[in-house]
């Protein structure tokens, strides 16, 4: 007879930057609750938030969070405020000294604090356990159904397995990862009737097994919206990065029937960032995934329709309508279109690198692979903010992180605050005037050859992981013959149209609006626009501004 499966335990999370205090509170909690709950401890707010994000994706439950008030970088109130987005039903406790009771009282309103405890809490039988007991009882009485989780079985060095994990993570679909050669992975493969030769295998929350599914098939089966519900909209937005999401929020909130079409996942390159620290209103920084998730929820709350895994292959003018055509032959019409497709990372061209994509070489997927990078020597190619943010994030657990840039310094392309952070982290080093010229390995990346462009000196070093954040490729070939672009493929708009020949066939007697392309009613916003700011804030601003110009266009149509 098969033994009944024991239900997974919910977690109690404790956060304190003092290792002694952190161990003490975890010890006392385990003594009382260890048989019924997992007790997890973290020594910083950021470390705790990273842990919570991973737990969210795995569909795990958190019942109680206890955070110390006085922590550097992020205090307990700031941590709890961000943690609420991930686990809104978890009970929240602030650990304070007597002098901080005023702040604790203020936090009752700010983060809906359930309780504050004065340190020390000895004896715990009188000062700690009764409080936690009551909070656990209150949590158990609320609706906190376990988030159903999708299971992914694959190989660490399988490129498609990496892509599937990235797709699910960026679309905020909870999943659990199983290695194909682990006992549980083998058991799941057998239950799914798969032999493990074609990976990955995805088991949905309904128990269906998908063998190496495409993104579109995966999206359909995990509950993402993949087909528009209407044939005609006021506004169609192509691309779901910061510019597209900004346009969706403002378009839908102002009454336009708005649809946003995204090829992979909302957030764009910014959605892959571990932490954005120079975005207005987030003094402690915000992860790209968190920012994208908030924007997505905000847009849908206003009524915007978000469509994923649809590849747009053309925009046409059909009278007053603008037709958006998809790769599968389907199409929708709209009064106006905003192009917000952003840019993609350029591929490294050194010999050997192509064969290791997804098997040690990754383009902008540092978050998904971070757990595998612990105690490893990591190389990051690129000198923009995205590369710096990835370096700071990976340095927390990696043995070393080396940033490789062709330029003479990071100052040419990276924000000053990030350069300062990198300089203060001892296990991050920067190789300037250097590029990767060859990759080596068997079933995965093992070594890379570096060349100094000044001296020509080459050396080969061990490297299991290489993350590339280079260049900005707009990938706008599908606009050929319709929308004017510059020699690099970036879309020309507004006053810039007058400098070339794009206005030659302009059909109206007015000049194009600031973000309007050479096609009336087709606008552009964000990184895909020629000479754009290449920052999250400017992209969001352009998305909002494009909607204002859409209104102006519609009023005169």
């Amino acid at each position: 007879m098969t033994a009944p499966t024991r239900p997974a335990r919910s977690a109690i999370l404790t956060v304190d930057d003092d290792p002694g205090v952190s161990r003490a509170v975890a010890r006392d909690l385990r003594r009382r609750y260890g048989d019924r709950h997992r007790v997890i401890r973290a020594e910083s707010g950021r470390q705790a938030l990273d842990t919570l994000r991973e737990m969210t994706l795995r569909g795990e439950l958190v019942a109680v969070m206890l955070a110390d008030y006085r922590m550097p970088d992020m205090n307990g109130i700031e941590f709890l405020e961000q943690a609420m987005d991930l686990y809104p039903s978890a009970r929240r406790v602030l650990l304070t000294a007597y002098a901080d009771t005023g702040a604790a009282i203020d936090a009752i309103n700010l983060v809906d604090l359930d309780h504050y405890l004065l340190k020390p809490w000895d004896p715990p039988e009188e000062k700690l356990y009764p409080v936690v007991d009551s909070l656990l009882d209150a949590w158990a009485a609320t609706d906190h159904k376990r988030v159903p989780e999708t299971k992914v079985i694959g190989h660490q060095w399988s490129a498609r397995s990496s892509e599937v994990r990235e797709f699910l993570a960026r679309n905020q679909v909870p999943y659990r990862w199983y290695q194909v050669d682990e006992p549980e992975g083998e058991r799941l493969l057998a239950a799914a009737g798969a032999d493990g030769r074609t990976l990955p295998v995805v088991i949905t929350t309904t128990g269906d097994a998908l063998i190496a599914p495409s993104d579109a098939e995966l999206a359909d089966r995990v509950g993402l919206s993949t087909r528009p519900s209407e044939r005609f909209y006021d506004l169609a937005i192509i691309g779901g990065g910061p510019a597209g999401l900004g346009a969706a929020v403002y378009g839908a909130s102002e009454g336009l029937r708005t649809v946003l079409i995204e090829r992979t996942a909302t957030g764009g390159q910014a959605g892959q960032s571990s932490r954005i620290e120079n975005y207005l209103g987030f003094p402690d920084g915000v992860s790209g995934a968190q920012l994208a998730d908030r924007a997505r929820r905000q847009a849908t709350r206003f009524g915007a329709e978000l469509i994923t895994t649809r590849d747009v292959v053309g925009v046409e003018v059909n009278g007053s309508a603008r037709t958006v055509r998809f790769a599968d032959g389907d199409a929708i019409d709209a009064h106006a279109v905003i192009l917000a497709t952003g840019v993609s990372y350029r591929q490294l061209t050194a010999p050997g690198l192509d064969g290791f994509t997804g098997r040690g070489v990754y383009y902008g997927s540092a978050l998904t692979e971070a757990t595998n990078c612990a105690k490893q020597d990591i190389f990051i190619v690129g000198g923009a903010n995205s590369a710096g943010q990835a370096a700071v994030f990976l340095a927390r657990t990696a043995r070393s992180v080396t940033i490789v840039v062709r330029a003479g310094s990071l100052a040419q392309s990276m924000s000053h605050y990030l350069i300062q952070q990198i300089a203060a982290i001892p296990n991050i080093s920067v190789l300037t005037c250097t590029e990767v010229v060859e990759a080596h390995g068997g079933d995965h990346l093992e070594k890379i050859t570096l060349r100094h462009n000044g001296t020509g000196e080459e050396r080969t070093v061990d490297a299991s992981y290489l993350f590339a954040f280079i260049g900005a490729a707009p990938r706008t070939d599908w606009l050929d013959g319709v929308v004017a672009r510059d020699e690099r493929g970036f879309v020309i708009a507004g006053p810039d149209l007058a400098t070339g020949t794009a206005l030659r066939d302009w059909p109206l007697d007015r000049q194009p609006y600031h973000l309007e392309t050479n096609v009336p009613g087709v606008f552009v916003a964000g990184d895909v626009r020629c000479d754009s700011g290449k920052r999250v804030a400017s992209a969001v601003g352009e998305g909002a501004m494009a909607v204002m110009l859409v209104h102006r266009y519609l009023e005169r149509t």
Side-chain angles (χ1 to χ4, degrees), residues 344-400:
S344 302
Y345 293 116
R346 295 188 186 277
Q347 303 289 298
L348 293 168
T349 58
L353 281 170
D354 278 350
F356 294 123
T357 300
R359 300 189 295 122
V361 176
Y362 304 94
Y363 292 88
S365 59
L367 288 177
T368 307
E369 297 297 329
T371 54
N372 296 324
C373 296
K375 303 186 185 307
Q376 301 290 324
D377 296 313
I378 312 300
F379 285 80
I380 294 176
V381 180
N385 279 7
S386 53
Q389 290 157 353
V392 171
F393 176 72
L394 292 170
R396 299 176 187 175
T397 57
R399 180 165 51 219
S400 70

Side-chain angles (χ1 to χ4, degrees), residues 20-21 23-29 31 95-96 117-130:
V21 175
R23 286 192 294 269
V25 68
R27 177 200 63 216
D28 288 344
L29 290 170
R31 183 182 302 158
L95 302 177
T96 68
L117 285 173
L118 293 177
K119 298 189 296 185
W121 55 86
D122 291 328
E125 289 77 11
E126 295 181 12
K127 297 184 177 180
L128 177 65
Y129 297 152

Side-chain angles (χ1 to χ4, degrees), residues 45-85:
R46 291 184 178 177
Q47 182 187 51
L49 287 173
D50 290 339
T51 299
L52 290 177
R53 291 186 190 102
E54 292 178 7
M55 294 175 69
T56 301
L57 290 176
R58 293 194 296 265
E60 298 177 11
L61 295 176
V62 177
V64 177
M65 297 183 288
L66 302 92
D68 182 54
Y69 173 64
R70 289 183 178 267
M71 294 189 292
D73 296 329
M74 180 185 297
N75 66 39
I77 296 174
E78 293 164 341
F79 160 72
L80 290 172
E81 186 176 13
Q82 295 192 40
M84 286 173 65
D85 287 336

Side-chain angles (χ1 to χ4, degrees), residues 127-193:
K127 297 184 177 180
L128 177 65
Y129 297 152
V131 171
V132 178
D133 283 345
S134 66
L135 294 177
L136 287 172
D137 289 342
W139 177 82
T142 59
D143 182 11
H144 51 265
K145 296 177 182 177
R146 176 171 297 279
V147 178
E149 61 182 16
T150 297
K151 299 176 178 64
V152 181
I153 307 98
H155 193 282
Q156 178 180 353
W157 303 119
S158 159
R160 183 55 187 159
S161 296
S162 176
E163 291 170 357
V164 165
R165 293 171 62 202
E166 181 81 1
F167 177 84
L168 293 173
R170 291 185 61 193
N171 280 289
Q172 300 293 308
V173 177
Y175 75 92
R176 187 185 292 270
W177 164 251
Y178 298 90
Q179 291 273 17
V180 67
D181 52 358
E182 293 176 346
E184 185 63 12
E186 294 174 350
R187 186 190 71 80
L188 289 170
L189 284 179

